[in-house]
Amino acid sequence: MNNVLEYDDIPKIEKYIRNKEWWDTIDFFDQIIGKIGLSDRRVDDLMLKWSKDKDFWVRRIAIDHQLGRKEKTNKELLEKILINNFGSDEFFINKAIGWSLRDYSKTDPVWVKNFIDKHGSQMHKLSIKEASKYL
């Protein structure tokens, strides 16, 4: 019996995500989606799509799905997803942007600093505050 979730399980997970929308549920599922993405690159395209979803909780999963990946973080994907969410007034989105950058700053602080230097004028101050915590 296979106890590992796979890409084909994501539509079932997505139904649950869209019906149990609160930070604790969403933050649990971003880890699951992230683990699936480590072994199936189709998740990258899906997360790019989710980063533009009308539902900000779905966008939050896209933003945070790479948390904890360290050197396995897809920086190009992360940048695209974050840029897709600039201009939001939603606390949970701006916090997630900062959180994802802060997490990655433990691995590559230069990349995060350069990201903030390049995009800071478009970022919410909460995102910058969170992202800069370890810089």
Side-chain angles (χ1 to χ4, degrees), residues 88-124:
S88 176
D89 289 327
E90 176 53 54
F91 170 83
F92 289 104
I93 291 297
N94 291 316
K95 185 82 168 179
I97 290 170
W99 190 14
S100 65
L101 289 168
R102 180 182 70 212
D103 182 69
Y104 190 58
S105 75
K106 297 173 193 173
T107 301
D108 193 343
V110 172
W111 187 89
V112 173
K113 183 181 180 327
N114 290 339
F115 182 91
I116 294 169
D117 289 346
K118 181 178 178 182
H119 299 290
S121 65
Q122 300 169 282
M123 295 171 67
H124 192 279

Side-chain angles (χ1 to χ4, degrees), residues 7 10 33 36-37 40-47 65:
Y7 184 83
I10 292 177
I33 300 291
I36 295 170
D40 193 321
R41 300 325 270 163
R42 292 179 291 175
V43 171
D44 292 354
D45 290 335
L46 181 62
M47 291 301 98
H65 84 281

Side-chain angles (χ1 to χ4, degrees), residues 45-60:
D45 290 335
L46 181 62
M47 291 301 98
L48 196 54
K49 179 181 174 188
W50 280 17
S51 75
K52 298 177 183 179
D53 198 275
K54 65 181 179 176
D55 186 330
F56 75 84
W57 292 111
V58 173
R59 292 197 318 269
R60 182 175 167 98

